[in-house]
Amino acid sequence: HARTMFKNVFGSGFLVRTAHVILTWVITLILFLHDTLRKQEETGQLVQPVLFVLLVLVSVLLYFAVSLMDPGFILSDDSDLQFTLGVTEEQQDMIPPSTKSLRQRRCGHCLLQQQPMRSKHCQTCQHCVRRYDHHCPWIENCVGEKNHRWFVLYLGVQLLVLLWGLHIATGFSFAPTWQLWLRTNATLLTVAVLVALLSLIVLLLLGSHLYLVSLNTTTWEFMSRHRISYLKHCGADENPFDRGTFHNLWGFFCLWGTVVWEQVYFREGSDQV
């Protein structure tokens, strides 16, 4: 585990993670040098500055947790025998003829003989990932079954940090002329524009993930359902994993452990027959 952690920290994503941390703390330092937080510190009003720094720290810790944790890598066939259990021959026969290959989903890259449903091989990570969502270059890791909820939580905390930072960054100093105003607030204005852009990106990411989670689908399934064996026979609005918005959100955020998606899939198929 220590060797894997060392490899993850100093692997291909080292520069991306370092740049993220540097940018985060440089922006935080600039905001602290701004009058609003500095005046609060000087007058002994430490609640807001301390809370802001703690929130930034939590966002950085969540970033590293999501980027370094196992997203749900499938390392061997032996560890995945449980995913072939609980599915009867009658249920297997319910699969339409066009998807008979579903029963033996084999990965041609890492040579898994039995690839669990909703998993996909990531060319970047060189592993199959359970309930694969996407490979995120921002964290240099896959988003899958084990870290997806933490990724969404990270986006939520990061959005709070950015919106709070944007509020601080828009407290520009007064100046009698535009030229003097620009000279006085140039650094803060640059930070405000950058934070506003990042806020918009994170907001769109968080919104899209919450929407997909509420439907119990993944980014990969949403974008490529016409190429996925267990979905391409379904109608445009049909999702065999959808259990209702409340149950989808509850299962995603509140239930821990591995889900045997084959059982969910076949149960839904049985209900439709």
Side-chain angles (χ1 to χ4, degrees):
H1 292 293
R3 183 181 299 176
T4 302
M5 181 66 71
F6 182 85
K7 183 179 178 181
N8 288 340
V9 171
F10 296 100
S12 60
F14 176 71
L15 292 179
V16 174
R17 296 181 186 115
T18 301
H20 175 88
V21 173
I22 291 175
L23 181 63
T24 299
W25 289 111
V26 166
I27 291 176
T28 302
L29 180 61
I30 292 173
L31 293 177
F32 258 85
L33 294 176
H34 180 55
D35 287 344
T36 303
L37 292 178
R38 192 174 65 218
K39 285 180 179 177
Q40 289 179 346
E41 288 180 281
E42 292 173 351
T43 57
Q45 299 175 2
L46 299 177
V47 176
Q48 286 195 41
V50 169
L51 286 178
F52 182 71
V53 170
L54 286 177
L55 197 60
V56 171
L57 183 60
V58 169
S59 74
V60 172
L61 291 176
L62 280 173
Y63 172 81
F64 274 98
V66 172
S67 63
L68 298 178
M69 72 169 50
D70 176 5
F73 291 136
I74 306 168
L75 303 179
S76 69
D77 284 304
D78 292 340
S79 62
D80 299 300
L81 292 177
Q82 59 176 310
F83 289 90
T84 64
L85 301 178
V87 180
T88 66
E89 290 293 331
E90 291 181 0
Q91 289 173 323
Q92 290 172 353
D93 291 338
M94 292 176 186
I95 300 298
S98 62
T99 58
K100 281 293 182 183
S101 59
L102 168 67
R103 185 176 173 183
Q104 293 294 331
R105 293 185 69 232
R106 180 178 179 275
C107 178
H109 298 281
C110 51
L111 304 181
L112 283 176
Q113 297 299 320
Q114 186 69 34
Q115 191 184 49
M117 187 175 284
R118 308 193 81 181
S119 63
K120 181 184 181 298
H121 184 86
C122 175
Q123 297 284 4
T124 305
C125 295
Q126 294 299 309
H127 287 297
C128 287
V129 181
R130 301 187 198 279
R131 197 184 175 276
Y132 176 86
D133 188 86
H134 72 291
H135 183 90
C136 179
W138 189 358
I139 64 174
E140 272 299 325
N141 194 12
C142 279
V143 176
E145 185 176 72
K146 290 187 177 180
N147 67 346
H148 195 174
R149 79 187 72 193
W150 294 106
F151 180 74
V152 172
L153 178 61
Y154 160 69
L155 290 178
V157 173
Q158 187 68 63
L159 183 61
L160 287 176
V161 170
L162 289 169
L163 292 178
W164 195 346
L166 184 62
H167 172 70
I168 297 171
T170 52
F172 301 112
S173 301
F174 173 78
T177 64
W178 277 105
Q179 292 81 0
L180 184 58
W181 186 89
L182 285 174
R183 282 200 298 271
T184 305
N185 298 288
T187 302
L188 202 59
L189 180 61
T190 303
V191 169
V193 172
L194 178 60
V195 171
L197 180 61
L198 292 174
S199 299
L200 179 61
I201 294 172
V202 174
L203 178 62
L204 292 175
L205 275 173
L206 179 61
S208 63
H209 276 277
L210 288 176
Y211 171 72
L212 293 177
V213 167
S214 71
L215 300 176
N216 201 345
T217 190
T218 64
T219 302
W220 172 56
E221 291 171 342
F222 183 77
M223 300 295 293
S224 305
R225 63 178 293 138
H226 61 286
R227 295 191 289 110
I228 300 174
S229 60
Y230 56 85
L231 289 179
K232 62 184 180 182
H233 72 280
C234 299
D237 299 324
E238 183 184 354
N239 177 13
F241 306 112
D242 186 5
R243 293 173 286 187
T245 302
F246 174 79
H247 286 96
N248 292 338
L249 292 172
W250 176 265
F252 181 82
F253 287 108
C254 303
L255 298 182
W256 298 85
T258 301
V259 178
V260 183
W261 292 109
E262 286 85 346
Q263 292 182 353
V264 178
Y265 182 92
F266 283 114
R267 188 188 67 232
E268 293 296 326
S270 177
D271 293 341
Q272 295 168 6
V273 173

